[in-house]
Amino acid sequence: MTDPREAFEQYIAELFTEEDEALKTIYASPEKHDMPMISIRPYEGSLLQWLIRLIGAKTIVEIGTLAGYSTVWMARALPQDGKLYAVEKSSKHAAVARENFSLAGVSNRVELLEGSSRDLLPKLAQKGPFDFVFIDADKTSYPYYLEWAVDNLRTGGLVVAHNAYRHGGIINPQNDDDRAMDTFNRALAAHPKLDSMIIPLGDAMAVGVRRA
Ligand code: DHB
Ligand code: MG
């Protein structure tokens, strides 16, 4: 029997997810540029939009932009005066993302920050506190990103992390990335400043709400 989750996810995508031509082109762009094909799935983009609108987020930080597919989903959920700070380590990926922001018409709401998150995040803190922090970068740094997010979110703000399941790797860890994700999920669940849960859609989103 095929995994029933696939049928459910197809069902969710059919009901809740609509991609325009720009999003379809951007989803295909990593392959064209010899980049890893690890963007979020379209229905995970819908989930991010829903979470952003749920809390009326106006400021977002994305850690790990890749070709900007998730960035475009999130930027489009912002009001006109909203702002998304997108952090990307690879200058090659950042160049593709910049083109994609223009294609999707979100360049005015997105500020792309190129370089190491360890250098950029401490400086970016001056622009906070933020409403929403999305983590989708190197897994071994997730615990560090979590602490940065907790320190820089407003009360009621969300920290959201992609790949909470690591495609099963959290149950029987095979490598440092799997172990780091398990460490992250446990830190999120036990964090005294967060109310947390894992939403098991796609590769799962771990979500923490910043307590007062
Ligand atoms: C993989 C998937 C991701 O979404 C990610 O952020 C990193 C790696 C993967 O499948 O290898
Ligand atoms: Mg991911």
Side-chain angles (χ1 to χ4, degrees):
M1 193 183 144
T2 54
D3 183 352
R5 272 179 36 127
E6 279 178 34
F8 293 146
E9 288 182 351
Q10 221 172 341
Y11 182 82
I12 286 171
E14 194 184 316
L15 266 65
F16 299 101
T17 305
E18 204 174 324
E19 284 186 296
D20 65 358
E21 286 309 311
L23 277 170
K24 285 179 190 161
T25 302
I26 295 165
Y27 193 68
S29 68
E31 187 171 20
K32 286 192 203 121
H33 291 92
D34 240 339
M35 290 164 58
M37 288 160 65
I38 53 170
S39 302
I40 59 164
R41 296 296 177 91
Y43 48 84
E44 292 176 310
S46 305
L47 173 62
L48 290 175
Q49 286 201 331
W50 181 73
L51 290 168
I52 289 162
R53 290 181 174 138
L54 184 69
I55 65 158
K58 287 179 85 169
T59 54
I60 299 174
V61 175
E62 177 179 62
I63 307 169
T65 296
L66 196 67
Y69 181 72
S70 50
T71 326
V72 168
W73 275 104
M74 293 192 289
R76 286 179 169 180
L78 283 171
Q80 278 302 324
D81 60 343
K83 184 93 180 173
L84 192 160
Y85 299 94
V87 177
E88 174 52 49
K89 186 167 67 178
S90 156
S91 55
K92 177 187 163 179
H93 297 177
V96 174
R98 193 168 279 118
E99 256 181 56
N100 285 336
F101 298 154
S102 168
L103 178 71
V106 298
S107 303
N108 58 337
R109 266 173 275 169
V110 177
E111 188 170 327
L112 184 55
L113 307 168
E114 278 183 54
S116 156
S117 50
R118 303 265 179 172
D119 297 330
L120 293 170
L121 290 176
K123 288 181 219 159
L124 184 57
Q126 297 162 22
K127 310 261 190 186
F130 305 97
D131 299 323
F132 195 98
V133 175
F134 179 54
I135 305 170
D136 192 12
D138 54 310
K139 306 311 167 204
T140 53
S141 293
Y142 268 39
Y144 168 79
Y145 300 144
L146 177 64
E147 283 313 308
W148 186 88
V150 168
D151 289 345
N152 292 283
L153 277 172
R154 67 155 163 93
T155 299
L158 301 187
V159 52
V160 178
H162 191 230
N163 307 108
Y165 280 175
R166 283 285 299 167
H167 303 287
I170 48 155
I171 304 299
N172 186 12
Q174 301 291 321
N175 53 49
D176 285 348
D177 288 355
D178 292 347
R179 280 183 282 275
M181 187 59 72
D182 179 50
T183 300
F184 172 88
N185 287 337
R186 288 174 191 280
L188 182 90
H191 206 295
K193 291 181 176 168
L194 296 172
D195 291 307
S196 305
M197 185 43 70
I198 288 174
I199 302 176
L201 185 67
D203 196 26
M205 294 285 183
V207 180
V209 186
R210 180 67 162 87
R211 285 182 185 156

